[in-house]
Amino acid sequence: MRRFLLLILALLTLPGLAVAQAQVPSRPFTSDRIVVSVRGSGPDVILIPGLASTGAVWRRTADRLDDTHRVHIVSIRGFGDVPSGANTHGTLVGPVAAELRRYIAGARLDRPAIIGHSMGGLVALRAAADAGRDQRGGAIGRVMVVDATPFFPSLISPGATVGDVEPIARIAYQALLFLGDEALRTQGTALGDQLGGASDSVFSAVGWQGGDRQVLAQGLYEVMTTDLRNRLPDIMAPVTVVYGWSPDDRSPRAHLDGLFQAGYRNLPRPARFERIEGAEHMVMIDQPGRFLAAVTRFLS
């Protein structure tokens, strides 16, 4: 028996066997909240789409980044043709942010950069705030939010509250749930008048790729009512804010600079702001060249 145990010990310490053990792949990540695809190699970058969008909206960005970075493209279940899974029940932003952190920890990513658009920006901020608070894994290196603010109604007034906007959000929820995204678009002017000039940040992407009506309605409701301003002090990662801007004084987007800055004033370190002239809400699609230049600066 002693000779047998020594033989097993010798086999376990053979270099060839050690290499074989190191090459055993880890279990693939599965989630009932998100789907992640990976391409390229290098420093890790996570791309999160916004409301009613899948990871396909990041195609051009990923094509540019995957030569120098390992790109993790997230799709939220229930948007586009991605099966909705558990996202048909309960809230979205918090559970999706938790799953993102679980993915970061499980894949052992080393302080990845996160780029989130619109609702994806809310997810990125929530994940960064949770990581900064508990520091138990899933650390985040830096965050870029694209045309997103910790509380979307603050683009109208920094003094707005969830209570102010909740009745409008409930109308939008019901319209999308029972009438569909096309009906919501036809009623968008009236809702936009109540939300003010920044309403395109909420409504212009609805129906971009469609999806499960329940998940879309919940996502729209949370985009309008999620207020993360009191969580900003928990964010230890540096934050860059990119948004569409117009030099035309008649455009609502010509007046967003101060509103974005007010929305992020509670960060421990000042955010870096980059406005992209000529872009509306879908910044990475409206002005891909200027957006990619901003991403390069963010990652450098």
Side-chain angles (χ1 to χ4, degrees):
M1 176 62 71
R2 182 171 179 273
R3 292 179 60 185
F4 176 75
L5 292 175
L6 290 174
L7 177 61
I8 294 297
L9 179 61
L11 288 172
L12 289 175
T13 57
L14 283 174
L17 183 59
V19 171
Q21 289 175 328
Q23 292 175 345
V24 174
S26 59
R27 297 179 62 183
F29 175 79
T30 58
S31 169
D32 57 3
R33 295 285 184 177
I34 61 175
V35 175
V36 185
S37 63
V38 184
R39 51 193 284 193
S41 61
D44 293 298
V45 181
I46 300 173
L47 305 177
I48 313 172
L51 179 66
S53 298
T54 69
V57 299
W58 294 114
R59 179 185 57 81
R60 188 172 298 184
T61 305
D63 287 346
R64 178 68 66 87
L65 290 178
D66 64 4
D67 287 338
T68 55
H69 291 76
R70 182 165 57 167
V71 183
H72 308 258
I73 306 169
V74 174
S75 288
I76 296 173
R77 288 190 175 276
F79 293 167
D81 60 357
V82 183
S84 55
N87 286 341
T88 53
H89 308 288
T91 59
L92 280 180
V93 172
V96 169
E99 282 297 88
L100 180 67
R101 292 192 63 219
R102 186 171 73 87
Y103 173 75
I104 292 171
R108 298 182 180 178
L109 305 188
D110 183 17
R111 300 183 62 81
I114 300 181
I115 303 176
H117 171 251
S118 190
M119 178 181 152
L122 289 177
V123 171
L125 290 173
R126 173 64 184 268
D130 290 346
R133 173 176 286 182
D134 61 40
Q135 299 180 352
R136 290 182 299 175
I140 293 168
R142 63 187 70 182
V143 175
M144 173 187 280
V145 289
V146 183
D147 220 60
T149 179
F151 184 47
F152 270 91
S154 70
L155 294 179
I156 306 160
S157 170
T161 68
V162 173
D164 295 332
V165 76
E166 202 280 336
I168 305 170
R170 180 59 56 180
I171 293 172
Y173 176 95
Q174 297 291 343
L176 182 50
L177 184 62
F178 294 112
L179 301 177
D181 54 353
E182 182 61 37
L184 180 61
R185 282 195 292 270
T186 63
Q187 298 181 21
T189 300
L191 291 170
D193 288 343
Q194 297 181 64
L195 281 174
S199 61
D200 71 301
S201 294
V202 175
F203 291 105
S204 67
V206 173
W208 176 256
Q209 292 176 270
D212 179 277
R213 190 175 294 183
Q214 175 66 51
V215 182
L216 291 174
Q218 182 63 34
L220 176 60
Y221 179 84
E222 291 189 38
V223 163
M224 299 174 70
T225 59
T226 298
D227 188 352
L228 296 177
R229 290 176 295 184
N230 65 335
R231 295 297 314 278
L232 295 183
D234 295 327
I235 297 178
M236 300 295 103
V239 175
T240 296
V241 183
V242 175
Y243 56 96
W245 180 79
S246 172
D248 185 351
D249 194 60
R250 297 168 297 179
S251 169
R253 286 200 166 265
H255 309 285
L256 291 180
D257 294 330
L259 296 172
F260 269 106
Q261 291 166 14
Y264 286 93
R265 64 188 174 192
N266 289 336
L267 284 170
R269 67 176 86 179
R272 181 170 177 240
F273 295 92
E274 290 217 29
R275 60 190 192 187
I276 306 295
E277 183 175 344
E280 296 291 331
H281 185 55
M282 304 298 290
V283 182
M284 61 284 199
I285 294 175
D286 297 337
Q287 291 290 335
R290 291 175 177 174
F291 177 73
L292 286 168
V295 170
T296 299
R297 289 189 290 272
F298 166 69
L299 295 174
S300 62

